Amino acid sequence: MPERRTVALVTLGCARNEVDSEELAGRLAADGWELVEEAADADVAVVNTCGFVEAAKKDSVDALLEANDLKDHGRTQAVVAVGCMAERYGKELAEALPEADGVLGFDDYSDISGRLQTILSGGNVEAHTPRDRRKLLPISPAERQGSAGVALPGHAQTGSDAAPPAGSPEDLPEGVAPASGPRAPLRRRLGSSPVASVKLASGCDRRCSFCAIPSFRGSFISRRPSDVLGETRWLAGQGVKEIMLVSENNTSYGKDLGDIRLLETLLPELAAVDGIERIRVSYLQPAEMRPGLIDVLTGTDKVAPYFDLSFQHSAPGVLRAMRRFGDTDRFLDLLAQIRTKAPQAGARSNFIVGFPGESESDLAELERFITEARLDAIGVFGYSDEDGTEAASYEDKLDPDVVAERLARVSRLAEELTAQRAEERVGETVRVLVDRTDDEDGIVGRAAHQAPETDGVTLLSTDQELEPGRMVEAKVVASEGVDLVAEVLSVEGAGCTEEAAR
């Protein structure tokens, strides 16, 4: 009888990391590892780190140290770092954090089982050596498809870079995708949420002066539409009701496949997958938005009219220094175009304040935009230098105290405005996916304008018992900050549509 090997995956950062963790889980489960939820119950704790900004990097280090503490009193024998921070810093992280028994990069993912077994057995796996991943793919997007030997986390399919799990579907570890075709998804679900993310692409060709992501995630490369469709069908079979399409830049999807409008074709096909009730698209670049994409996002059944637009700022001078495009009036016009098509459309964005050279008038221009934009959710970040970025070399840096003051000022404004926007939705009828039920909040769901984790929620009022995954129609009767309170009108999928109990 083979030795029992247990592993826990601790995931930090964005939805893209969550997809990567489920790919790693699929690889490990297919090779006989038993996945457990808690690091304390695992032989090996694998921490999927985030390397985006300083706060995220600190959280990653804290998670690694916390997992390391388990080695003194529990089952855990090894702690391994993977993910963006491990990829970005590699040997430097290993030297600074000897508590980690291994620091593995993306290139190690295809043999993650072997790497973990070596570490668990007391062997040494050399720490990953970072390299600029933008140089691994051809400059021309049209030449990137089929590039051999380039690791693309979240893209793995059986029949491509990994052997399909052996045995009949009923013999496979629970939740591991079987090789039902030549390119079945290599993935195992971690958790039972009715929502799951699907990678549309990896990497980014934009060169924003503040962002280091392309250097460790690489140049942009799309997944095949058939792979995205196949994975969505598999997830639907796992009970998933909402799919969120993620990448560093979804508006570029298809440019390396010969069709920049491929997303407009793919979305209706995804929405037609049996069992899927909602498709959500995240990470949209304002400069790349086009009328046809707006039409599909606002006019396709089961596709949420949701616009996660990466504005970052609205003052023209700051945007140019960021190597970005647009201004307040252009951005407001884009939002007006969207709302002409779908008045209830959701819109969110993130902004950086205190960027080098940002003047008081620049900040006032940003405040004007945020005030007029009527966004449902706003993330505000204070600028800080990131290793290897162009902006880190800029000379006209603001004093950290000034950055902190501006961050607090704009954050207060954002909190006030998003609460006002939620209040505007009182009286609307919304379609809500039930996410969870608990003793404290009752029945918690999300309307079309609310993405998981990043946006508000909808608290449902009803005498019925509603399990996660049910879709209901509800009327918004109140707001609490960015959250909505809604009375259930009807429940979908209960034989015929039921009238909610009064």
Side-chain angles (χ1 to χ4, degrees):
M1 185 174 181
E3 181 184 357
R4 180 173 181 250
R5 301 174 299 174
T6 57
V7 60
L9 284 148
V10 180
T11 306
L12 294 94
C14 65
R16 299 186 293 273
N17 258 16
E18 294 172 7
V19 177
D20 295 351
S21 285
E22 293 198 348
E23 179 193 301
L24 291 173
R27 292 182 183 277
L28 291 165
D31 202 41
W33 289 78
E34 179 184 341
L35 281 98
V36 296
E37 290 187 14
E38 301 296 332
D41 299 327
D43 297 316
V44 183
V46 177
V47 180
N48 191 349
T49 61
C50 178
F52 181 39
V53 293
E54 284 304 317
K57 286 183 276 190
K58 181 182 183 302
D59 288 344
S60 295
V61 170
D62 289 346
L64 288 163
L65 293 174
E66 183 178 341
N68 181 71
D69 289 343
L70 297 172
K71 291 191 289 188
D72 296 330
H73 47 82
R75 181 186 180 101
T76 308
Q77 301 174 51
V79 176
V80 176
V82 299
C84 291
M85 189 176 180
E87 173 66 36
R88 185 176 181 185
Y89 295 104
K91 290 184 175 181
E92 181 182 343
L93 176 62
E95 292 170 0
L97 198 70
E99 291 86 352
D101 299 286
V103 176
L104 307 181
F106 299 151
D107 294 329
D108 293 303
Y109 283 18
S110 62
D111 188 29
I112 187 66
S113 177
R115 301 290 197 272
L116 295 191
Q117 184 59 59
T118 297
I119 292 169
L120 186 59
S121 301
N124 178 59
V125 175
E126 186 176 354
H128 161 69
T129 300
R131 52 181 173 168
D132 189 339
R133 298 192 74 86
R134 290 172 292 191
K135 299 177 180 179
L136 302 183
L137 291 168
I139 294 176
S140 169
E143 297 175 3
R144 291 174 188 166
Q145 288 291 324
S147 296
V150 177
L152 298 169
H155 287 225
Q157 307 287 139
T158 61
S160 54
D161 68 338
S168 60
E170 58 268 22
D171 294 331
L172 295 176
E174 183 181 355
V176 176
S180 57
R183 290 177 62 82
L186 183 59
R187 180 170 181 171
R188 186 189 195 277
R189 292 220 70 203
L190 298 173
S192 57
S193 169
V195 60
S197 296
V198 173
K199 274 204 177 175
L200 200 58
S202 286
C204 185
D205 287 341
R206 303 186 73 87
R207 294 295 178 262
C208 301
S209 63
F210 56 84
C211 184
I213 290 175
S215 66
F216 57 86
R217 278 289 184 179
S219 296
F220 184 89
I221 186 165
S222 304
R223 292 183 72 194
R224 301 180 190 180
S226 58
D227 289 347
V228 177
L229 274 164
E231 187 163 337
T232 298
R233 293 188 182 106
W234 178 77
L235 287 165
Q238 296 286 308
V240 170
K241 299 299 181 183
E242 177 177 326
I243 293 295
M244 186 163 71
L245 299 177
V246 299
S247 76
E248 279 73 24
N249 178 9
N250 281 332
T251 35
S252 281
Y253 180 68
K255 71 176 187 178
D256 52 322
L257 295 169
D259 185 0
I260 191 61
R261 294 177 177 82
L262 194 56
L263 184 55
E264 287 96 301
T265 303
L266 178 61
L267 284 171
E269 295 183 65
L270 292 170
V273 171
D274 188 36
I276 295 298
E277 294 296 333
R278 180 183 287 158
I279 302 292
R280 185 184 303 278
V281 183
S282 59
Y283 305 109
L284 300 169
Q285 286 291 341
E288 297 181 32
M289 288 299 294
R290 46 196 179 269
L293 181 54
I294 294 174
D295 288 343
V296 172
L297 288 170
T298 57
T300 305
D301 186 39
K302 295 189 178 180
V303 173
Y306 175 80
F307 293 81
D308 176 13
L309 294 159
S310 178
F311 290 122
Q312 302 298 346
H313 212 283
S314 73
V318 175
L319 286 167
R320 301 304 174 268
M322 290 179 169
R323 304 293 184 197
R324 297 179 65 83
F325 306 94
D327 56 45
T328 296
D329 292 332
R330 291 182 191 180
F331 292 162
L332 291 174
D333 181 63
L334 173 59
L335 291 169
Q337 293 176 47
I338 291 167
R339 288 171 176 145
T340 296
K341 302 280 186 180
Q344 292 187 2
R348 79 168 324 276
S349 193
N350 293 324
F351 300 92
I352 298 173
V353 298
F355 194 79
E358 180 190 63
S359 65
E360 275 290 342
S361 61
D362 291 329
L363 189 66
E365 184 69 0
L366 174 59
E367 291 173 320
R368 178 172 83 87
F369 171 66
I370 293 176
T371 301
E372 297 182 27
R374 296 169 58 235
L375 299 173
D376 292 282
I378 298 172
V380 187
F381 300 88
Y383 172 81
S384 62
D385 287 338
E386 280 297 316
D387 300 333
T389 62
E390 179 184 353
S393 67
Y394 289 177
E395 296 181 355
D396 47 353
K397 303 278 176 59
L398 275 65
D399 185 277
D401 289 340
V402 173
V403 175
E405 186 278 326
R406 292 183 179 185
L407 173 60
R409 170 176 155 186
V410 177
S411 295
R412 286 193 299 269
L413 177 63
E415 184 176 359
E416 177 184 341
L417 292 170
T418 51
Q420 288 178 9
R421 179 66 183 125
E423 190 174 0
E424 289 177 10
R425 291 191 178 276
V426 174
E428 289 184 359
T429 298
V430 292
R431 193 165 178 254
V432 179
L433 177 69
V434 176
D435 268 347
R436 70 180 192 276
T437 61
D438 57 50
D439 294 336
E440 182 178 352
D441 297 319
I443 303 173
V444 182
R446 291 175 296 100
H449 70 281
Q450 296 169 323
E453 306 296 336
T454 58
D455 305 337
V457 298
T458 298
L459 306 175
L460 293 170
S461 173
T462 179
D463 292 335
Q464 297 186 75
E465 292 185 6
L466 297 173
E467 66 274 13
R470 296 302 293 268
M471 190 71 78
V472 305
E473 187 178 76
K475 183 176 181 179
V476 181
V477 296
S479 63
E480 298 177 357
V482 296
D483 298 334
L484 304 179
V485 179
E487 294 180 348
V488 175
L489 302 176
S490 60
V491 181
E492 298 180 16
C496 58
T497 301
E498 297 178 348
E499 287 302 313
R502 296 293 181 184

Coordinates of all heavy atoms in Angstrom, one line a residue, residues 151-188:
A151 N 6.3 27.7 -19.3 CA 5.3 27.4 -18.2 C 4.2 28.5 -18.2 O 4.6 29.7 -18.1 CB 6.0 27.2 -16.9
L152 N 3.0 28.1 -18.3 CA 1.9 29.1 -18.2 C 0.9 28.6 -17.1 O 0.0 27.8 -17.4 CB 1.2 29.2 -19.5 CG 2.0 29.7 -20.7 CD1 1.3 29.5 -22.0 CD2 2.3 31.2 -20.5
P153 N 1.1 28.9 -15.9 CA 0.2 28.5 -14.8 C -1.3 28.7 -15.1 O -1.6 29.8 -15.6 CB 0.7 29.3 -13.6 CG 2.1 29.6 -13.9 CD 2.1 29.8 -15.4
G154 N -2.1 27.8 -14.8 CA -3.5 27.9 -15.0 C -3.9 27.5 -16.4 O -5.1 27.6 -16.7
H155 N -3.0 27.2 -17.3 CA -3.3 26.8 -18.7 C -3.3 25.3 -18.9 O -3.6 24.8 -20.0 CB -2.4 27.4 -19.7 CG -2.5 28.9 -19.9 ND1 -2.5 29.5 -21.1 CD2 -2.7 29.9 -19.0 CE1 -2.7 30.8 -21.0 NE2 -2.8 31.1 -19.7
A156 N -2.8 24.5 -17.9 CA -2.5 23.1 -18.1 C -3.7 22.3 -18.5 O -4.8 22.5 -18.0 CB -1.8 22.5 -16.9
Q157 N -3.5 21.5 -19.5 CA -4.5 20.5 -20.0 C -3.9 19.1 -20.1 O -2.8 19.0 -20.5 CB -5.0 20.9 -21.4 CG -5.5 22.4 -21.5 CD -6.8 22.6 -20.8 OE1 -7.0 23.7 -20.2 NE2 -7.7 21.7 -21.0
T158 N -4.7 18.1 -19.8 CA -4.2 16.8 -20.0 C -4.1 16.6 -21.5 O -4.9 17.1 -22.3 CB -5.1 15.7 -19.5 OG1 -6.4 15.8 -20.0 CG2 -5.2 15.8 -18.0
G159 N -3.1 15.9 -22.0 CA -2.8 15.8 -23.4 C -1.9 16.9 -24.0 O -1.6 16.9 -25.1
S160 N -1.5 17.9 -23.1 CA -0.6 18.9 -23.5 C 0.7 18.7 -22.8 O 1.6 17.9 -23.3 CB -1.2 20.3 -23.3 OG -1.6 20.4 -21.9
D161 N 0.9 19.3 -21.6 CA 2.2 19.1 -20.9 C 2.1 18.1 -19.8 O 3.0 18.0 -19.0 CB 2.6 20.5 -20.3 CG 1.7 21.0 -19.2 OD1 0.6 20.6 -19.2 OD2 2.2 21.8 -18.4
A162 N 1.0 17.4 -19.6 CA 0.8 16.5 -18.5 C 0.1 15.3 -19.0 O -0.8 15.4 -19.8 CB 0.1 17.1 -17.4
A163 N 0.5 14.1 -18.5 CA -0.3 12.9 -18.8 C -1.6 12.9 -18.1 O -1.8 13.4 -17.0 CB 0.5 11.7 -18.3
P164 N -2.7 12.4 -18.8 CA -4.0 12.4 -18.2 C -4.0 11.5 -17.0 O -3.3 10.5 -16.9 CB -4.9 11.8 -19.3 CG -4.0 11.1 -20.2 CD -2.7 11.8 -20.1
P165 N -4.8 11.8 -16.0 CA -4.9 10.9 -14.8 C -5.3 9.5 -15.3 O -6.2 9.4 -16.1 CB -6.0 11.6 -14.0 CG -6.0 13.0 -14.4 CD -5.6 13.0 -15.8
A166 N -4.7 8.5 -14.7 CA -5.0 7.1 -15.1 C -6.3 6.6 -14.5 O -6.8 7.1 -13.5 CB -3.8 6.2 -14.7
G167 N -6.9 5.6 -15.2 CA -8.0 5.0 -14.7 C -9.3 5.6 -15.2 O -9.3 6.6 -15.9
S168 N -10.4 4.9 -14.9 CA -11.7 5.4 -15.3 C -12.1 6.5 -14.4 O -11.6 6.7 -13.3 CB -12.8 4.3 -15.2 OG -12.8 3.8 -13.8
P169 N -13.1 7.4 -14.9 CA -13.5 8.6 -14.1 C -13.8 8.2 -12.6 O -13.5 9.0 -11.7 CB -14.7 9.1 -14.9 CG -14.4 8.7 -16.3 CD -13.8 7.3 -16.2
E170 N -14.5 7.1 -12.4 CA -14.9 6.8 -11.0 C -13.7 6.4 -10.2 O -13.8 6.4 -8.9 CB -16.0 5.7 -11.0 CG -15.5 4.4 -11.7 CD -15.9 4.3 -13.2 OE1 -16.1 5.4 -13.8 OE2 -16.0 3.2 -13.7
D171 N -12.6 6.1 -10.8 CA -11.4 5.7 -10.0 C -10.5 6.9 -9.6 O -9.6 6.7 -8.8 CB -10.5 4.7 -10.8 CG -11.2 3.4 -11.0 OD1 -12.1 3.0 -10.1 OD2 -11.0 2.7 -12.0
L172 N -10.8 8.0 -10.2 CA -9.9 9.2 -10.0 C -10.2 9.8 -8.6 O -11.3 9.7 -8.1 CB -10.2 10.3 -11.1 CG -9.8 9.9 -12.5 CD1 -10.2 11.0 -13.4 CD2 -8.3 9.6 -12.6
P173 N -9.2 10.5 -8.0 CA -9.5 11.3 -6.8 C -10.7 12.2 -7.0 O -10.8 12.8 -8.1 CB -8.2 12.0 -6.6 CG -7.1 11.3 -7.3 CD -7.8 10.7 -8.5
E174 N -11.5 12.4 -6.0 CA -12.7 13.2 -6.1 C -12.3 14.6 -6.6 O -11.4 15.3 -6.0 CB -13.4 13.3 -4.8 CG -14.7 14.1 -4.9 CD -15.4 14.1 -3.5 OE1 -14.9 13.4 -2.6 OE2 -16.4 14.8 -3.4
G175 N -13.0 15.1 -7.6 CA -12.8 16.5 -8.0 C -11.7 16.7 -9.1 O -11.5 17.8 -9.5
V176 N -11.0 15.6 -9.5 CA -10.0 15.7 -10.5 C -10.6 15.5 -11.8 O -11.3 14.6 -12.1 CB -8.8 14.7 -10.3 CG1 -7.8 14.8 -11.4 CG2 -8.2 14.9 -9.0
A177 N -10.3 16.5 -12.7 CA -10.9 16.4 -14.1 C -10.4 15.2 -14.8 O -9.2 15.0 -14.9 CB -10.6 17.6 -14.9
P178 N -11.3 14.3 -15.4 CA -10.8 13.2 -16.1 C -10.4 13.6 -17.5 O -10.8 14.7 -18.0 CB -12.0 12.3 -16.2 CG -13.2 13.2 -16.1 CD -12.7 14.4 -15.2
A179 N -9.7 12.7 -18.2 CA -9.3 13.0 -19.6 C -10.4 12.6 -20.5 O -10.4 11.6 -21.2 CB -8.0 12.2 -19.9
S180 N -11.5 13.4 -20.6 CA -12.6 13.1 -21.4 C -12.4 13.4 -22.8 O -13.2 13.1 -23.7 CB -13.8 13.9 -20.8 OG -13.6 15.3 -20.9
G181 N -11.3 14.1 -23.1 CA -11.0 14.4 -24.5 C -9.5 14.6 -24.6 O -8.8 14.4 -23.6
P182 N -9.0 15.0 -25.7 CA -7.6 15.2 -25.9 C -7.0 16.3 -25.0 O -5.8 16.3 -24.8 CB -7.4 15.5 -27.4 CG -8.7 16.0 -27.8 CD -9.7 15.3 -27.0
R183 N -7.8 17.3 -24.6 CA -7.3 18.3 -23.8 C -8.2 18.6 -22.6 O -8.9 19.7 -22.6 CB -7.0 19.6 -24.6 CG -5.9 19.4 -25.6 CD -5.7 20.7 -26.5 NE -5.4 21.9 -25.7 CZ -4.2 22.2 -25.3 NH1 -3.2 21.4 -25.5 NH2 -4.0 23.3 -24.6
A184 N -8.4 17.7 -21.8 CA -9.3 17.9 -20.6 C -8.5 18.8 -19.6 O -7.3 18.8 -19.5 CB -9.6 16.6 -20.0
P185 N -9.3 19.6 -18.8 CA -8.6 20.5 -17.8 C -7.9 19.7 -16.7 O -8.4 18.7 -16.2 CB -9.8 21.3 -17.2 CG -11.0 20.4 -17.5 CD -10.7 19.7 -18.7
L186 N -6.8 20.1 -16.3 CA -6.0 19.5 -15.2 C -6.2 20.4 -14.0 O -5.5 21.4 -13.8 CB -4.5 19.4 -15.6 CG -3.6 18.8 -14.6 CD1 -4.0 17.3 -14.3 CD2 -2.2 18.8 -15.1
R187 N -7.2 20.0 -13.2 CA -7.6 21.0 -12.1 C -8.4 20.2 -11.1 O -9.1 19.2 -11.4 CB -8.5 22.1 -12.7 CG -9.0 23.1 -11.7 CD -9.7 24.2 -12.5 NE -10.1 25.3 -11.5 CZ -10.6 26.5 -11.9 NH1 -10.6 26.8 -13.2 NH2 -11.0 27.3 -11.0
R188 N -8.2 20.6 -9.8 CA -9.0 20.0 -8.8 C -9.6 21.2 -7.9 O -8.8 22.1 -7.5 CB -8.2 19.1 -7.9 CG -9.1 18.4 -6.8 CD -8.2 17.7 -5.8 NE -8.8 16.7 -5.0 CZ -9.5 17.0 -3.9 NH1 -9.6 18.3 -3.5 NH2 -10.1 16.0 -3.2

